Amino acid sequence: QTIDLENERWFVAWKADFKEEYTPELDEVRDEVVDAIRTAKARELAREKAEAIAKQANDGKAFEDLVDENREDVLFRDLGPFSWQTMRGFGSTAIGNVPELDNVGQKFMKAVFNSTQGEFCVAPSEAGRVFYVVKVNAFQPQTQDLKTIFTQRSERLMSQFMSDGSAERVQRGFFERIDEETGFTRYEFSE
C-alpha cells in the first residue's frame, strides 16, 4: 500500500534499475538455496513442535509445563482483546495488531478466529518464522451476536464498501463454509 492512513503517511515509489530475468548458475546462489532448504525444514519442525504442545495442552497437560525453561520469556498471558480487522476510515481496513507478538497477519488471525473457544490452536506469524500456541478464552461479541448485528442493513452496506478486497473474501468464505457444511461439491463441465 502506498498510503498509511493510521500514521497519515504517503509513500512514493519508482523503479531505479531493471535487469532482464535469467536463471543463475548454482554456484552463484548456493548459499541462498541452502538457507531456503534449512528455513523450510526449520518451519516444518517448528510447526510440528507447536502442534504437539497444543495437542498435549488440549489433552489436559498444564501449558506452563510444556514450555521450555529457556522460552519462558515468550510466554504471554492475557494479551487482551484484539480484532482481526480494524476500520481505518470509510472503506479501508487493516489487520488488527497484537503488539506483544511478532508480525501477526492474515494467517495468524485466520487460525485464531477459526479456533474453538477454550482450546489451544497453532497460529503462524505472517512470515512463518514463528508458530504461536494460542488459547482463545472468549470471542467478543459472541458469534450469535455477530450474526444479529450483520442482519442490520447498515452493517451489511458498510461491509460491501471494504476496498481492500475483504468484502469479496468474506463472500467467498461464506459460500465455501456453506458448501463445507452441506457437503456440496462443485463439478466443472466442459464440452
Side-chain angles (χ1 to χ4, degrees):
Q1 291 185 344
T2 57
I3 299 174
D4 180 355
L5 290 173
E6 181 179 355
N7 297 307
E8 297 180 1
R9 290 192 277 185
W10 290 261
F11 301 94
V12 177
W14 58 90
K15 186 189 302 186
D17 193 13
F18 175 78
K19 291 183 181 180
E20 290 288 333
E21 66 181 65
Y22 73 101
T23 303
E25 295 297 320
L26 180 60
D27 289 342
E28 293 177 62
V29 293
R30 179 177 304 280
D31 292 342
E32 293 174 54
V33 171
V34 169
D35 186 50
I37 291 169
R38 287 180 178 163
T39 300
K41 185 62 176 173
R43 247 186 215 118
E44 183 182 316
L45 294 172
R47 175 179 288 283
E48 288 172 4
K49 171 88 174 184
E51 287 172 349
I53 290 171
K55 182 179 181 334
Q56 290 175 346
N58 285 329
D59 289 343
K61 191 160 185 183
F63 183 73
E64 288 76 10
D65 295 342
L66 299 170
V67 177
D68 294 336
E69 285 182 21
N70 64 341
R71 303 301 297 163
E72 288 183 0
D73 60 324
V74 291
L75 176 62
F76 300 99
R77 291 178 178 77
D78 302 322
L79 291 175
F82 56 88
S83 62
W84 186 332
Q85 298 256 327
T86 304
M87 190 69 106
R88 302 268 189 238
F90 185 75
S92 178
T93 60
I95 292 291
N97 189 23
V98 185
E100 298 87 350
L101 304 183
D102 175 39
N103 194 19
V104 299
Q106 280 290 0
K107 296 173 190 174
F108 175 88
M109 296 297 182
K110 183 176 183 178
V112 169
F113 283 89
N114 284 299
S115 67
T116 302
Q117 184 174 318
E119 290 188 12
F120 290 88
C121 72
V122 174
S125 67
E126 193 60 23
R129 288 189 300 264
V130 180
F131 290 88
Y132 297 102
V133 178
V134 179
K135 178 182 179 186
V136 176
N137 294 321
F139 289 109
Q140 299 170 346
Q142 295 292 319
T143 303
Q144 189 54 41
D145 295 336
L146 284 172
K147 289 177 182 177
T148 302
I149 292 168
F150 195 69
T151 61
Q152 297 172 8
R153 183 170 160 53
S154 62
E155 294 296 323
R156 287 194 319 271
L157 268 172
M158 284 301 292
S159 68
Q160 293 173 357
F161 292 110
M162 293 174 9
S163 61
D164 63 352
S166 297
E168 190 262 329
R169 286 194 307 271
V170 167
Q171 268 186 331
R172 187 175 54 242
F174 171 77
F175 289 119
E176 288 171 358
R177 183 73 180 256
I178 294 294
D179 291 349
E180 183 182 301
E181 288 179 5
T182 61
F184 179 76
T185 304
R186 296 179 192 275
Y187 292 100
E188 298 290 328
F189 295 99
S190 59
E191 295 180 28

